[in-house]
Amino acid sequence: MEQVERQFAAVKHALEYLTENVGPFPWPHLTFVDPPANSGHSGGMEYTTLFTSASSYMMPGFFHLPEMVTIHEFGHAYFMGILASNEFEEPWLDEGVNSFWEERIVDNYYGKNSGLLDHPWLKIADESMSRLSYVDSGSRQTVSNAEYSWNYPHGTYGMMSYMKTANWLYTLMGIVGEETTNEIFREYYRKWAFKHPSGKDFVNVANEVVARMHGNKFGPDMNWFFDQTLYGTGICDYKVAGLRNEKLERSKGKVQAGDSLDRKLALSDSLSYYKAVVQLERAGEVMLPVDVLVHFDNNEEVMESWDGKSRFKDYTYTGTRKIQWVKIDPEFKIKMDVNYINNSKTVDPDHVPVRRLTNKLISFMQFFVNFISL
Ligand SMILES: [Zn+2]
């Protein structure tokens, strides 16, 4: 497909998705320009009802970079065009919110796990690329996400205002759900279109919508979330510290009248009893609720809900079953968790060299994508 057609399709996707999940595009026309190859620096820039996209020679069909840039620049019609926030003072509310929507749109239309790169040998979601830029950054804790654009130190502006924001918005969506997240943005649009909302206005809308849709499920408001993610500098890292299946000593003695069934079973020769323990730790400062999936050797599973507040948490199961493996956040709701590798453990540990190799390839891709400023 010609790149111009790819870009037209991308604009239609973005228009459809944002109209449905945020609000209508209010203008009767839209112009986008794909600058010629010798003026590449004018690509990837936004003005209301006009933006420039970016294509290049030899862009293979499996690499959706032109689509990503097009969707991103179109998205600015909403985030700061319609929702006219102050990009210089609160870049997260402009670039970060827009990146969150760009990633959702790209992965929705071009593949949940392959939105950015869809090759038989390597698939990368737009969301994963963005997440890795945050979790791989050595400077992710130097400053909060609520900084003036000119104050970000050590080259952290892009990683913080684009990627960290998108990452905690995904995490918010993992906690409160997709429909609630969309409703937050619809309400933000209804209330603040063509006005000049600040970050606090967005937080207030989120608090109001979450309370309306979930009552007190997450507390009186979501400030505990925003204080840690938007206004804080901590990292989130939950890990499985250990797994133990301790065989219980068979009780001494014989079955007697009046013994419980459990004791009778424990005394019979055919069954072994175990004290099975999962040991979890919170290695980061950020406290978020997490699901914990425990899988036993008889294929039974238990999903625990940990509020994630204490420094450690043990779950103990006594019976005839042994734990085989455990996974924190099995549905990847908590995208802020900076280390997924320590989220699971099996009794016979599986090594994960494939994932490390993928990380290297993704770093290489990031290097490539970073040539384009969005
Ligand atoms: Zn942008």
Side-chain angles (χ1 to χ4, degrees), residues 46 72-73 76 94-95 98-99 162 374:
E46 72 277 11
H72 183 95
E73 301 314 334
H76 277 303
D94 169 282
E95 293 296 1
N98 187 40
S99 294
Y162 290 62
L374 304 171

Side-chain angles (χ1 to χ4, degrees), residues 11 54 56 80 120 127 134 138 144 149 158 259 261 363:
V11 169
S56 59
M80 57 80 202
E127 178 271 319
Y134 164 69
S144 94
S149 58
D259 278 351
L261 181 62
S363 301

Side-chain angles (χ1 to χ4, degrees), residues 331-350:
E331 291 164 37
F332 299 101
K333 293 176 180 174
I334 309 296
K335 308 276 188 195
M336 280 203 84
D337 191 319
V338 296
N339 185 349
Y340 280 166
I341 292 170
N342 66 11
N343 278 26
S344 58
K345 226 181 185 69
T346 57
V347 172
D348 303 310
D350 253 3

